Amino acid sequence: MTDFHVLIPVRLAATRLPRKPLLDLGGEPLIVRVLQRAASADARSVCVATDSKAVAEVVERAGGSVVHTRSDHACGTDRLSEAVMRLKLSDDAIVVNLQGDEPEMPAACLRQVADVLERSRQADMATLWRPLGGESEWLDENVVKVVVDRDGRALYFSRSPIPALRGSGWPESDARGHIGLYAYRVGALRAWSLLPDSRLEQLESLEQLRALEAGWTIACQRARTAVPAGIDTPEDLEKARRRFVLNGNTEE
């Protein structure tokens, strides 16, 4: 099994769901549920990277580890770039970036994305994708799409419906939804903060485009198991709460 670390970037501010990391999910704060899920993946270490004292206190009270980062980071990867420097991880170590609002991310996917990067020696990053459920998802700007080449390397990510199908209908067999789970080599994370500003990242509001525009290779693979949606809205939180009641926070 691939050796890897899990880092969870967390900020307290959220416009659609204020103080999201601290909201209750099945009797525990959301960030603690994410921490528990990360701990189930048999990683070498799990650590929360945050600028929030409130989040840090909750994590440490639950027995988790915290690395304190600055408050001016524009995205989660920026925060992890600082975190790996503070943690002094070796350049060849693999870090999996688990979002702080993904309490139901399957542990199998955490292991898978690390393994994809380990096997893709020329890649700087790795991520996962899923088949889209229908044309409505393909058209939905909130669903990020990815196009890959025949060797599984990312060609582009977009909120727009890609690849486009000339004429009517949608490209069902070629439409892939991106899963926001990443693995990085620590050396790449150290270099992240040195990448030039990306116009594509600004246009699409997708941080992975900064890497693509800089010429990085992102290895992609279909997720081996279904990935529940993350928690972005009050409705998402209520659905997750119902699932926790029904399933007892167990993985399939």
Side-chain angles (χ1 to χ4, degrees), residues 24-37:
D24 179 80
L25 180 57
E28 295 281 3
L30 172 59
I31 184 55
V32 173
R33 291 301 188 188
V34 177
L35 194 67
Q36 291 170 343
R37 180 49 53 95

Side-chain angles (χ1 to χ4, degrees), residues 45-67:
S45 70
V46 177
C47 188
V48 171
T50 186
D51 63 309
S52 166
K53 290 183 180 180
V55 169
E57 288 172 358
V58 165
V59 170
E60 290 172 339
R61 194 178 305 128
S65 298
V66 173
V67 56

Side-chain angles (χ1 to χ4, degrees), residues 35-178:
L35 194 67
Q36 291 170 343
R37 180 49 53 95
S40 72
D42 299 320
R44 176 175 287 273
S45 70
V46 177
C47 188
V48 171
T50 186
D51 63 309
S52 166
K53 290 183 180 180
V55 169
E57 288 172 358
V58 165
V59 170
E60 290 172 339
R61 194 178 305 128
S65 298
V66 173
V67 56
H68 295 272
T69 54
R70 302 193 314 271
S71 61
D72 59 347
H73 293 301
C75 67
T77 308
D78 290 330
R79 192 176 301 281
L80 294 196
S81 181
E82 180 191 357
V84 296
M85 294 180 187
R86 292 187 177 277
L87 293 170
K88 297 183 173 148
L89 298 177
S90 63
D91 278 355
D92 60 348
I94 290 176
V95 165
V96 172
N97 176 355
L98 175 61
Q99 302 298 323
D101 56 8
E102 297 274 5
E104 298 173 282
M105 178 64 68
C109 288
L110 298 177
R111 294 189 290 267
Q112 180 187 357
V113 75
D115 189 57
V116 171
L117 185 58
E118 172 67 21
R119 294 172 182 272
S120 304
R121 293 293 181 177
Q122 303 306 311
D124 304 283
M125 300 168 53
T127 192
L128 304 179
W129 59 268
R130 63 178 177 85
L132 292 181
E135 186 174 3
S136 61
E137 277 199 305
W138 181 63
L139 294 170
D140 188 346
E141 68 175 16
N142 293 312
V143 176
V144 177
K145 276 71 68 174
V146 59
V147 173
V148 303
D149 68 14
R150 63 187 62 191
D151 294 318
R153 294 171 298 208
L155 293 173
Y156 195 64
F157 298 85
S158 183
R159 299 183 184 280
S160 297
I162 59 171
L165 180 63
R166 187 173 183 179
S168 61
W170 70 291
E172 181 175 356
S173 61
D174 298 300
R176 297 176 173 92
H178 178 230

Side-chain angles (χ1 to χ4, degrees), residues 185-197:
R185 301 189 196 284
V186 167
L189 274 176
R190 292 184 192 277
W192 179 269
S193 62
L194 303 176
L195 293 182
D197 291 341

